[in-house]
Amino acid sequence: MTTTRPGRHGQDTRVGILAMIMGLTCGYDATAMAGALVLVTDHFTLATTQQGSLYAATAAGWIVGALLGSRLVNALGRRTTLLGLALLHVAGTTLAVTSVNLVWLDASRFVQGIAIGIAIVATPIFIAESVSTRARGRTAVLYQVATSLGCALGYIGGYFLAGSGQWRLMIAVPGVLALVTALWLTRLPETDRWRQLRRTGPTAGAARPPGVLRALFSPRYRTLTLFVITLGFFVQATGINAMVFFSPRIFEHMGYTDTFGLLVLPGFVQLAGAVAALVCALTIDRFGRRPALLAGTTLMGLGHALMVLGFAVDSPEVVGFLGLVVFVVGFNSGFGALVWVFAAEGFPDHLRGAGASVMLLTNLTTNLVVAQFFLDLLNTVGGLATYLILLAVTVAAWLFVFFLAPETKGRSLDEVQSYWEAGRRWPATDDAPAART
């Protein structure tokens, strides 16, 4: 059981720093190509479909990484998996910056995507098992703070490097951050829970895909599995990665044409999201997960409503910019900050990696669909209809959270697991808060 003990403060701090370094890496990686795309297109003379392949290769790598992640964190350990993926990302970045043709660049993006996919599985698990109960929520949110900051830096860095044509330098930065991650991991130990898992021996059985699937969908864990699958769908279906990947194109539809408007303004949107995630990190352990999710989803819906209003009055520049800011602020203070917490907290040690992978696989499959069809939808039906659809999905996500998301503030991992195993009923303990959902 993860509890606060003397001497844990230093461990919590070191893991928090790791979460921020990894968040910067993942965030910068997500937007580095947005700033470099125009230059890469000119350098390799890319058609529209070929430009899309740069994002498709990354998304495909994310899915492969998600599938590998659950096995690796059990077989190799949480820390070893993180160290390996950091070095893999360095290798992928090296391939990217030395690319001489599109196939080479696509292959490097695929390798980088695999590393990020594994990271999204392994990082929340390592955080949940390495920090005290008191710091668990705050540390998970710091990861999202850094991810948003990394996204902003990817856009803003692209703006300053665009004039010099240094697209290779734009996409090299995540590799440098991944190297820093690897070095910092040498200061951290493997988690006690994984060591215990290795001693008790369920890893071998859990590594067999049929056994894992049977366990995840058994009566004991089915409720939690379906919950995290649906949650993973809503995270992407509400449109966050459409805003991250295609912000310059969205700003074009809103009437912006200059480089500042297409790259720096999206960076400001992500900076606002980073501030929101930081506020969430500072308050999450006081107010709890559930209020943050409900408030964040409400803001996401308001952001989409502002986008609808902007396109409806045919003057979306200011209103649309405000809508994007409100949406990203809402996402980063709710879904973005806490979505991975539920899978990391709810499953037992031997299924934690598999549970995170199932959630991530749903999340990334939805992301792949959104990435493939969002621009077509925007160009075909226009901004008004597109954001009406996203608003409807966000309302459904709010209802899902309201009726089904539990409050896990102050609960140990064992208590959270007992809640789901007992059919959404909190265990009766003398010191636990009153049971509620």
Side-chain angles (χ1 to χ4, degrees):
M1 184 171 70
T2 307
T3 56
T4 304
R5 301 193 303 268
R8 287 303 301 267
H9 178 71
Q11 170 77 353
D12 290 347
T13 301
R14 288 190 292 273
V15 175
I17 292 172
L18 173 71
M20 296 197 70
I21 298 171
M22 295 202 66
L24 284 172
T25 305
C26 294
Y28 203 110
D29 184 84
T31 57
M33 186 54 67
L37 186 59
V38 174
L39 298 174
V40 171
T41 298
D42 292 341
H43 184 84
F44 292 121
T45 316
L46 303 182
T48 301
T49 302
Q50 292 173 316
Q51 295 173 45
S53 72
L54 296 173
Y55 290 103
T58 304
W62 286 355
I63 293 174
V64 172
L67 293 173
L68 291 173
S70 64
R71 294 192 177 193
L72 292 176
V73 293
N74 280 351
L76 302 180
R78 288 43 164 149
R79 174 185 174 276
T80 303
T81 298
L82 288 175
L83 181 60
L85 70 88
L87 296 176
L88 179 64
H89 199 284
V90 172
T93 303
T94 301
L95 286 173
V97 298
T98 58
S99 299
V100 297
N101 54 49
L102 178 64
V103 174
W104 190 329
L105 185 56
D106 278 342
S108 68
R109 295 284 291 169
F110 178 71
V111 172
Q112 290 173 309
I114 292 174
I116 297 299
I118 298 171
I120 300 173
V121 173
T123 304
I125 295 173
F126 185 80
I127 290 172
E129 295 183 354
S130 297
V131 300
S132 63
T133 299
R134 178 176 57 84
R136 196 169 66 235
R138 179 176 65 251
T139 307
V141 176
L142 284 175
Y143 176 72
Q144 182 62 27
V145 173
T147 300
S148 298
L149 183 58
C151 288
L153 293 175
Y155 283 123
I156 296 172
Y159 171 75
F160 284 108
L161 292 172
S164 61
Q166 296 294 327
W167 65 268
R168 296 183 190 273
L169 184 56
M170 294 180 193
I171 61 178
V173 174
V176 176
L177 292 172
L179 182 59
V180 174
T181 299
L183 294 174
W184 189 257
L185 278 165
T186 62
R187 300 170 56 89
L188 294 169
E190 183 55 82
T191 70
D192 292 338
R193 282 180 172 265
W194 183 77
R195 292 195 183 100
Q196 178 63 28
L197 184 64
R198 294 293 290 177
R199 285 195 293 269
T200 54
T203 302
R208 295 192 297 268
V212 167
L213 289 177
R214 280 198 299 267
L216 290 176
F217 289 96
S218 67
R220 190 174 188 180
Y221 302 114
R222 184 185 302 132
T223 300
L224 175 58
T225 300
L226 294 176
F227 175 82
V228 298
I229 285 174
T230 307
L231 195 62
F233 165 78
F234 276 127
V235 168
Q236 290 299 334
T238 47
I240 183 58
N241 269 357
M243 313 307 163
V244 172
F245 291 155
F246 304 118
S247 271
R249 301 292 297 275
I250 296 170
F251 273 83
E252 282 181 345
H253 276 264
M254 293 192 302
Y256 295 91
T257 57
D258 61 311
T259 306
F260 183 89
L262 299 181
L263 289 177
V264 176
L265 288 183
F268 286 162
V269 170
Q270 294 299 325
L271 282 175
V275 172
L278 180 59
V279 172
C280 184
L282 296 174
T283 60
I284 187 66
D285 291 314
R286 176 180 301 178
F287 297 110
R289 278 76 152 151
R290 182 177 164 82
L293 283 172
L294 289 172
T297 312
T298 300
L299 288 175
M300 290 166 63
L302 177 59
H304 284 328
L306 288 171
M307 293 294 291
V308 169
L309 176 62
F311 283 109
V313 299
D314 199 28
S315 181
E317 289 91 343
V318 176
V319 177
F321 175 70
L322 179 61
L324 288 175
V325 169
V326 172
F327 172 81
V328 171
V329 165
F331 179 86
N332 284 355
S333 58
F335 271 176
L338 295 169
V339 63
W340 308 111
V341 172
F342 288 100
E345 289 180 337
F347 288 103
D349 297 345
H350 69 285
L351 290 178
R352 190 167 292 127
S357 288
V358 167
M359 180 179 179
L360 184 59
L361 186 60
T362 306
N363 179 283
L364 294 181
T365 302
T366 308
N367 170 55
L368 185 60
V369 173
V370 171
Q372 180 66 47
F373 296 109
F374 177 79
L375 284 180
D376 289 334
L377 181 66
L378 188 63
N379 292 330
T380 302
V381 304
L384 177 61
T386 297
Y387 280 92
L388 278 172
I389 293 171
L390 291 176
L391 176 59
V393 174
T394 304
V395 171
W398 188 93
L399 293 172
F400 174 79
V401 170
F402 181 79
F403 287 108
L404 295 176
E407 178 57 76
T408 61
K409 169 191 169 186
R411 302 283 189 173
S412 69
L413 293 181
D414 293 324
E415 287 177 317
V416 177
Q417 291 158 24
S418 296
Y419 167 85
W420 290 107
E421 292 173 8
R424 296 173 52 83
R425 292 188 301 272
W426 288 110
T429 59
D430 294 335
D431 58 346
R436 61 189 180 278
T437 59

